[in-house]
Amino acid sequence: MVQFRVQIVLFIMQTIKKSFTAAFINNLKFCKPRILYLDENHKSMVGASRLGIICGAKSIKYYMRLADRSYVLGDVKAYTLTEAREKLIDTYREHLENKDEFLAAKKAKSQSLTLIEVAESYFQWLKSNEKKSHKRAKSQFKFNVPHGLADKKIHLVKRLELHSLISKKGINTPTEANRLAQLLSAIWNHGKLRMGIESLQNKENPAQKLNLFKENKGTRYLEWDEIKIFWELTKKANKPYRDLFKLFLLLGQHPYSEIGSMRSNQIKRINGDAWWMMEEGFHKSGKPHSVYLHQKVLKIIDEQPKGKYVFPCERGYPAVHYARQWNNMIKGCGLEHFTPMHMRPTVLTHLFRNGFNAALLANHSGSNITENVYVRGDDLKGKKALMTWWVEKIETLVGME
């Protein structure tokens, strides 16, 4: 039996939405008048309720609201965040006593629910909560989970089955394998916590704490929906870093040694087309290299102040010290641990997937590319084709001006 106290809400408090973490909770202080913080994390939501914290003049307590009633779940010092979320679920169930249509309907057929049925419910929940990742999650499940496993009763899914699936995926694509493991774990938790499936209540999540693959920096990349998020985030950065970060995505070259150090005299015209011509020793490979500059890319470059470097900092040096700007831009956006070095694999991965010779852009050796690659007319044609496709794809995706 869950112990709680019922209060009628007869007062108006300032309400602030935050993403609860242990650090945030530890830094809370007493305040008057009282402030109500509501957790934005989906783990703190069940049905129509959301975990909250009330900071008063003498106490700071976990709280949940149901219709016109509020429930005090306990002092923040007495419970961890995970324990408070469990009390939220228990209190919600006890109060409703199967009157909630969502929980009652799922409980009635809990023994017959398959993995794909729970997954569809999870995708719908993501969509209803305006989570931009619902399309990617649905596509990831569809293309990676075999029909035999998807049609299996969720309480009969074994850890060994999931481990085998993820291990096979991780041989060539460790990033995708890790994301698939996280997705399957989230689907299981959705069935257990939000759908209230009885057969899962005393079972351990089989997808949790799997031996995930260690990702090399070169294997990280953004999916299409994450690219849209990244493009919106660039608007938060100051000039010239805002345009610099956009070119990280549009050009697919090394951010520090190449794009950040781009010189104005490297922009050349060949047969009416604009090219970024890198001399020997400038590119990381040490070889000469060229990149076709689409009109949209050239527009960004032309908007920069004229000088020796395309992207100069305040003192006139190349804008290569952008860590603070980058970290401030991606803070709290969901693209955790994503660095500028991951933009290049993002571009090359999508070009390769769509049938292009990504080595033309990477300037790698051993790919039937001559040493002086940028003077070959056929190579210029191939580079122009792949860069045109890439920039226009991004333009369609994000709506470049």
Side-chain angles (χ1 to χ4, degrees), residues 59-82:
S59 65
I60 303 176
K61 297 184 177 182
Y62 288 111
Y63 159 96
M64 70 176 285
R65 179 184 295 171
L66 252 176
D68 60 344
R69 292 185 177 274
S70 62
Y71 295 80
V72 177
L73 304 179
D75 194 279
V76 294
K77 294 182 179 180
Y79 300 96
T80 64
L81 180 58
T82 300

Side-chain angles (χ1 to χ4, degrees), residues 3-261:
Q3 300 296 324
F4 56 83
R5 187 174 77 239
V6 180
Q7 296 177 322
I8 304 296
V9 180
L10 296 174
F11 51 87
I12 298 176
M13 289 184 291
Q14 180 184 1
T15 302
I16 301 175
K17 289 187 177 181
K18 289 282 187 179
S19 182
F20 287 5
T21 62
F24 168 75
I25 294 172
N26 292 335
N27 290 326
L28 290 174
K29 300 184 182 301
F30 300 125
C31 57
K32 187 177 181 180
R34 289 188 283 185
I35 297 178
L36 169 61
Y37 294 98
L38 293 178
D39 192 1
E40 293 182 316
N41 195 313
H42 63 82
K43 294 180 181 179
S44 293
M45 295 178 61
V46 56
S49 297
R50 185 190 296 268
L51 182 65
I53 294 177
I54 292 182
C55 292
K58 298 181 180 180
S59 65
I60 303 176
K61 297 184 177 182
Y62 288 111
Y63 159 96
M64 70 176 285
R65 179 184 295 171
L66 252 176
D68 60 344
R69 292 185 177 274
S70 62
Y71 295 80
V72 177
L73 304 179
D75 194 279
V76 294
K77 294 182 179 180
Y79 300 96
T80 64
L81 180 58
T82 300
E83 291 170 341
R85 286 170 175 165
E86 292 175 352
K87 285 181 69 69
L88 170 77
I89 296 168
D90 292 339
T91 305
Y92 182 80
R93 288 177 179 162
E94 182 173 331
H95 174 78
L96 297 180
E97 294 180 348
N98 294 331
K99 293 180 182 179
D100 183 270
E101 295 181 0
F102 179 74
L103 284 177
K106 296 304 179 184
K107 282 184 178 181
K109 58 177 184 178
S110 61
Q111 292 293 339
S112 62
L113 286 175
T114 62
L115 177 60
I116 193 170
E117 288 175 326
V118 179
E120 289 293 343
S121 174
Y122 175 66
F123 304 146
Q124 188 61 37
W125 178 85
L126 288 176
K127 186 177 181 179
S128 65
N129 285 277
E130 299 181 354
K131 302 290 184 181
K132 295 181 180 179
S133 59
H134 75 275
K135 290 184 178 179
R136 181 188 60 180
K138 190 171 185 177
S139 175
Q140 190 178 21
F141 184 90
K142 177 181 178 181
F143 289 108
N144 291 296
V145 180
H147 294 296
L149 180 60
D151 293 334
K152 197 169 185 177
K153 301 293 188 293
I154 189 168
H155 66 283
L156 298 177
V157 174
K158 303 298 182 183
R159 180 182 177 86
L160 186 61
E161 293 176 291
L162 301 185
H163 187 276
S164 175
L165 173 66
I166 293 167
S167 296
K168 291 179 182 178
K169 188 72 179 174
I171 294 174
N172 297 317
T173 53
T175 298
E176 289 189 9
N178 288 346
R179 290 180 180 175
L180 179 59
Q182 293 162 4
L183 173 63
L184 292 171
S185 179
I187 290 172
W188 178 280
N189 288 334
H190 175 79
K192 180 177 180 178
L193 301 178
R194 296 191 193 90
M195 300 177 70
I197 299 178
E198 293 294 338
S199 57
L200 303 183
Q201 297 310 311
N202 297 320
K203 286 182 174 289
E204 183 181 357
N205 187 332
Q208 197 168 21
K209 297 181 180 179
L210 284 175
N211 294 325
L212 301 186
F213 291 85
K214 182 178 181 180
E215 300 176 28
N216 297 320
K217 287 186 176 181
T219 64
R220 296 293 302 278
Y221 63 91
L222 294 179
E223 295 289 0
W224 294 118
D225 57 330
E226 293 175 318
I227 289 176
K228 294 174 67 175
I229 296 173
F230 172 80
W231 192 267
E232 285 298 313
L233 289 173
T234 60
K235 299 176 182 177
K236 296 168 55 178
N238 299 324
K239 279 185 170 290
Y241 302 100
R242 179 189 315 157
D243 295 329
L244 179 65
F245 295 159
K246 289 180 180 179
L247 290 198
F248 288 173
L249 175 65
L250 294 173
L251 294 179
Q253 300 302 304
H254 294 282
Y256 180 88
S257 60
E258 293 156 18
I259 300 178
S261 301

Side-chain angles (χ1 to χ4, degrees), residues 245-391:
F245 295 159
K246 289 180 180 179
L247 290 198
F248 288 173
L249 175 65
L250 294 173
L251 294 179
Q253 300 302 304
H254 294 282
Y256 180 88
S257 60
E258 293 156 18
I259 300 178
S261 301
M262 183 191 297
R263 300 194 309 272
S264 300
N265 62 5
Q266 291 177 323
I267 310 301
K268 307 290 185 181
R269 290 276 181 178
I270 300 178
N271 298 327
D273 294 327
W275 290 83
W276 176 19
M277 311 295 284
M278 290 172 262
E279 67 276 11
E280 185 175 356
F282 182 86
H283 190 268
K284 191 175 181 180
S285 67
K287 301 182 298 181
H289 187 35
S290 64
V291 178
Y292 172 71
L293 301 177
H294 189 276
Q295 290 182 352
K296 294 291 183 179
V297 175
L298 192 60
K299 180 181 177 183
I300 294 175
I301 293 175
D302 288 341
E303 290 174 351
Q304 308 309 312
K306 304 303 179 184
K308 179 179 179 180
Y309 297 101
V310 175
F311 296 102
C313 63
E314 294 179 358
R315 298 182 179 182
Y317 298 108
V320 294
H321 301 293
Y322 43 72
R324 181 179 298 177
Q325 287 278 345
W326 179 273
N327 292 334
N328 289 339
M329 180 184 73
I330 67 169
K331 185 177 180 180
C333 71
L335 303 179
E336 293 85 358
H337 312 299
F338 196 81
T339 72
M341 294 302 295
H342 298 139
M343 299 308 301
R344 179 175 165 86
T346 294
V347 180
L348 298 178
T349 297
H350 287 291
L351 287 173
F352 178 78
R353 283 180 173 180
N354 286 274
F356 289 96
N357 182 5
L360 285 171
L361 185 63
N363 200 27
H364 288 162
S365 59
S367 301
N368 296 322
I369 304 176
T370 59
E371 288 295 317
N372 293 322
V373 65
Y374 65 80
V375 301
R376 287 283 300 270
D378 54 343
D379 289 330
L380 291 180
K381 184 177 179 180
K383 290 182 176 184
K384 181 178 178 179
L386 68 86
M387 288 304 295
T388 299
W389 178 86
W390 174 249
V391 175

